[in-house]
């Protein structure tokens, strides 16, 4: 007799979240793998690997195996998933692993197959794919199986997935390769351009979290940023303000707002009427950026909501899908 181990996975560019079918999060770690370039052996995954970024000797490389929501390195992605699946629950020779895993809504058939193959290579026997915005809508508790339109904007690390869902399907969708990583890159470019200073992705993310915003907020401040002087190569520190960073983030945020407007323009009138009544739901890690919901709401003239656990919505949605499949 085979016992089934059911797992829902939100495979993201920045982080991977694994939960059981009851919706309990068992893994929430960065999508990072540390590899010995000489032996090709994986040394660490997740939190341990991320701590190595920018701090490893030449023989060890810490990399993100996913770029813009899709697999950039198949073997590393398989190794990372194998580690996460192994650590997520007990197993035996008689355990059959069933996985529901999220994918961006704009992926090609080849990219879909790559995700499925990577999960099977990691040890899963049964694999089902679900589009990220549909999973996010399920995780946010929206009535996706009713004849009612619901709009979800899932902003992850590599992509922003926008979808209008109704009757268990996607009525309109758009996916752009703009997310938290694009915001970090904008900050890195700004520091190079304005301050002749090189900073890493971890520092850029810290700036974004501490003083980044999409609109003005109470208690705006400045922070000291340390990096390397591009002119003489020596360590350097400068002070940047909330206003500076807000202006830097405006360009990638505008792309997200434009994509939402474009999706609304092709939405059926009846579904658009439902969305005006129920509002738009923001999920994903970048939805927590200060003032983002307010800016989007003012731009599209529709109320914008953030669920209780926006970061976990996609993973929780995969768990809902697991339970419905039974």
């Amino acid at each position: 007799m085979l016992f089934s181990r059911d797992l829902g996975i939100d495979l993201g560019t920045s982080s991977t979240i694994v939960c059981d079918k009851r919706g309990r999060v068992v893994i929430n770690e960065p999508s990072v793998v540390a590899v010995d370039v000489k032996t090709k052996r994986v040394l660490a995954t997740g939190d341990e690997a991320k701590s190595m970024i920018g701090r490893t000797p030449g023989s060890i490389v810490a990399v993100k195996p996913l770029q813009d929501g899709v697999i950039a390195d198949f073997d590393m992605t398989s190794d990372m998933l194998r580690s996460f699946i192994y650590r997520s629950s007990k197993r035996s020779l008689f355990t059959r692993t069933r996985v529901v895993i999220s994918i961006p809504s704009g992926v090609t058939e080849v990219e879909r197959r790559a995700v499925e193959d990577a999960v099977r290579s990691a040890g899963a026997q049964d694999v089902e794919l679900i589009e990220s915005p549909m999973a996010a809508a399920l995780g946010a508790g929206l009535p996706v199986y009713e004849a009612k339109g619901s709009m979800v904007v899932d902003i992850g690390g590599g992509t922003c997935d926008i979808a209008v869902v109704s009757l268990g399907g996607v009525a309109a969708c758009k996916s752009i390769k703009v997310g938290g990583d694009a915001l970090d890159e904008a900050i890195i470019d700004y520091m190079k351009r304005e301050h002749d200073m090189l900073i890493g992705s971890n520092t850029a993310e810290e700036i974004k979290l501490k003083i980044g915003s999409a609109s003005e907020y109470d208690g705006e401040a400045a922070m000291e940023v340390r990096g390397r002087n591009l002119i003489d190569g020596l360590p350097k520190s400068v002070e940047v303000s909330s206003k500076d960073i807000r202006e830097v983030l405006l360009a990638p945020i505008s792309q997200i707002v434009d994509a939402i407007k474009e999706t609304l323009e092709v939405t059926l009138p009846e579904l658009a009427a439902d969305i005006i009544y129920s509002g738009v739901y923001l999920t994903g890690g970048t939805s927590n950026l200060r003032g983002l919901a307010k800016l989007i709401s003012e731009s599209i003239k529709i109320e914008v909501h953030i669920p209780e656990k926006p970061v976990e919505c996609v993973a929780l949605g995969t768990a809902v899908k697991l339970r419905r499949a039974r």
Side-chain angles (χ1 to χ4, degrees):
M1 178 181 176
L2 285 176
F3 296 98
S4 178
R5 175 177 57 162
D6 299 338
L7 297 171
I9 302 177
D10 173 12
L11 180 64
T13 306
S14 295
S15 62
T16 296
I17 302 176
V18 182
C19 62
D20 61 21
K21 66 180 178 183
R22 288 188 287 273
R24 294 183 303 187
V25 173
V26 289
I27 298 277
N28 183 355
E29 296 191 17
S31 300
V32 180
V33 179
V35 182
D36 187 321
V37 293
K38 293 177 181 176
T39 63
K40 302 295 183 185
R41 189 167 65 90
V42 172
L43 303 176
T45 58
D47 287 326
E48 188 182 352
K50 186 176 182 180
S51 68
M52 297 180 180
I53 290 181
R55 296 186 172 91
T56 57
S59 62
I60 300 172
V61 181
V63 295
K64 292 183 175 182
L66 290 107
Q67 299 293 331
D68 299 327
V70 296
I71 292 174
D73 189 304
F74 181 86
D75 291 333
M76 285 191 191
T77 302
S78 296
D79 287 338
M80 182 182 74
L81 284 170
R82 186 178 296 109
S83 170
F84 289 157
I85 290 172
Y86 180 81
R87 287 157 50 197
S88 64
S89 62
K90 297 175 183 176
R91 65 176 183 172
S92 70
L93 292 172
F94 306 103
T95 302
R96 186 175 182 84
T97 302
R98 189 165 67 100
V99 169
V100 172
I101 188 165
S102 67
I103 53 168
S105 56
V107 299
T108 64
E109 193 57 43
V110 172
E111 289 163 345
R112 290 175 69 95
R113 177 63 65 184
V115 172
E116 186 174 339
D117 289 348
V119 181
R120 290 190 187 281
S121 176
Q125 286 80 28
D126 300 318
V127 182
E128 184 177 353
L129 307 181
I130 181 171
E131 293 187 353
S132 294
M134 174 59 81
L138 285 169
L142 301 183
V144 299
Y145 294 105
E146 296 179 19
K148 190 182 295 183
S150 300
M151 187 174 199
V152 175
V153 180
D154 181 52
I155 314 173
T159 60
C160 171
D161 288 308
I162 305 154
V164 176
V165 297
S166 176
L167 288 171
V170 176
C173 68
K174 189 174 183 66
S175 181
I176 59 171
K177 293 181 177 181
V178 178
D181 290 351
L183 303 187
D184 296 342
E185 282 298 323
I187 294 172
I188 291 170
D189 291 342
Y190 164 76
M191 297 303 293
K192 286 180 186 174
R193 187 176 63 251
E194 297 297 324
H195 299 286
D196 293 317
M197 192 167 110
L198 184 66
I199 61 170
S201 57
N202 286 354
T203 302
E205 185 179 23
E206 183 186 359
I207 295 169
K208 178 181 69 180
L209 294 175
K210 281 191 174 179
I211 61 172
S213 69
S215 56
E216 290 186 39
Y217 66 95
D218 292 335
E220 289 196 355
M223 68 176 284
E224 184 185 23
V225 179
R226 298 183 181 90
R228 193 176 81 220
N229 192 321
L230 287 169
I231 297 170
D232 59 19
L234 297 174
K236 178 181 179 178
S237 69
V238 298
E239 190 173 85
V240 294
S241 69
S242 299
K243 183 175 181 291
D244 295 332
I245 301 304
R246 183 165 57 252
E247 290 172 356
V248 168
L249 299 181
L250 188 60
I253 289 171
S254 295
Q255 290 180 260
I256 292 172
V257 173
D258 289 343
I260 295 170
K261 288 179 178 177
E262 289 168 18
T263 308
L264 285 167
E265 285 168 7
V266 297
T267 300
L268 293 170
E270 289 81 2
L271 296 178
D274 292 336
I275 293 165
I276 291 170
Y277 177 77
S278 62
V280 173
Y281 285 79
L282 277 190
T283 64
T286 308
S287 65
N288 286 323
L289 182 71
R290 292 180 195 86
L292 182 60
K294 177 185 174 186
L295 177 71
I296 293 173
S297 181
E298 290 173 351
S299 300
I300 64 175
K301 305 295 188 291
I302 300 173
E303 194 172 350
V304 175
H305 310 283
I306 299 179
E308 186 181 347
K309 297 178 180 177
V311 177
E312 297 174 5
C313 275
V314 173
L316 295 175
T318 62
V320 174
K321 187 73 173 175
L322 279 167
R323 295 195 296 271
R324 285 187 66 89
R326 275 292 183 218

